[in-house]
Amino acid sequence: MVTSAMCEARAGSALTRMYFGLRKPKWPILGTNFSGEIEAVGSSVVEFQVGDRVSGVNVTNFGAYAEYVVVQEDGVIAAKPGNLSDEEAVAVFDGSITALPFLRDGARLRSGQSILINGASGAVGTAAMQLAKRYGATVTAVCSTSNVALVTSLGADHVIDYTRRDYTDTYDTYDTYDVIFDAVAKSSFTRSRRALKRD
């Protein structure tokens, strides 16, 4: 799967070259998300065995674009659900692996809180929305008109169509949300802060 991060790496901007290598790539084979069958295991591996179908993310050594990839047993790897294809399984990791640490560790989202997710219809936004619902939060999704049905089907309690209304400029959203998660970096902290609850 070619993620947005891998697209950035391939674009070779000055910022990405600082990370991926100024003169030549630090990692000759890119790719983070993988899915497939285990071909071999190390002698101390206990969680997996040859033939297991797995999927996961390899964000430290990359290499998922290769035919074979080496992954640590305690890395981001899990048994692939039988009802998902390899393509579907790798897509699950794209948004969720980004959203999870922000909601769980950064925001410490919990049941009864309210969250606004800007960019709720993208890979990170749809994952964040489903995770937030799993935590028991009330979710307000911000998306375009064409994605209202999608975010509603994924469990959004409220939807703001950004083509008709800016959540940072609307008086009735002031002092409303415990957490604002901007998955698309389209609004500044200063503007969004008005919609956050005090403290």
Side-chain angles (χ1 to χ4, degrees), residues 125-191:
T126 55
M129 204 166 42
Q130 293 172 83
L131 288 166
K133 291 300 293 182
R134 179 76 173 104
Y135 285 129
T138 300
V139 175
T140 299
V142 179
C143 63
S144 65
T145 309
S146 62
N147 290 311
V148 169
L150 169 66
V151 299
T152 302
S153 74
L154 292 174
D157 298 292
H158 310 284
V159 180
I160 297 174
D161 180 345
Y162 72 77
T163 66
R164 298 182 177 170
R165 176 178 159 205
D166 181 347
Y167 76 90
T168 63
D169 287 336
T170 307
Y171 181 74
D172 63 354
T173 61
Y174 287 7
D175 200 31
T176 299
Y177 306 103
D178 295 295
V179 176
I180 294 178
F181 183 68
D182 190 352
V184 290
K186 296 290 185 184
S187 185
S188 70
F189 173 75
T190 304
R191 293 183 65 204

Side-chain angles (χ1 to χ4, degrees), residues 35-36 52-55 78-90:
S35 186
D52 285 353
R53 302 289 303 177
V54 296
S55 50
K80 184 183 78 64
N83 63 334
L84 295 180
S85 68
D86 287 331
E87 293 81 7
E88 291 168 329
V90 295

Side-chain angles (χ1 to χ4, degrees), residues 42-95:
S43 60
S44 61
V45 172
V46 295
E47 293 293 322
F48 302 101
Q49 57 188 345
V50 173
D52 285 353
R53 302 289 303 177
V54 296
S55 50
V57 181
N58 194 11
V59 294
T60 54
N61 296 321
F62 299 100
Y65 291 167
E67 184 176 359
Y68 297 98
V69 62
V70 176
V71 181
Q72 297 296 317
E73 179 182 26
D74 61 354
V76 182
I77 181 173
K80 184 183 78 64
N83 63 334
L84 295 180
S85 68
D86 287 331
E87 293 81 7
E88 291 168 329
V90 295
V92 168
F93 283 98
D94 188 35

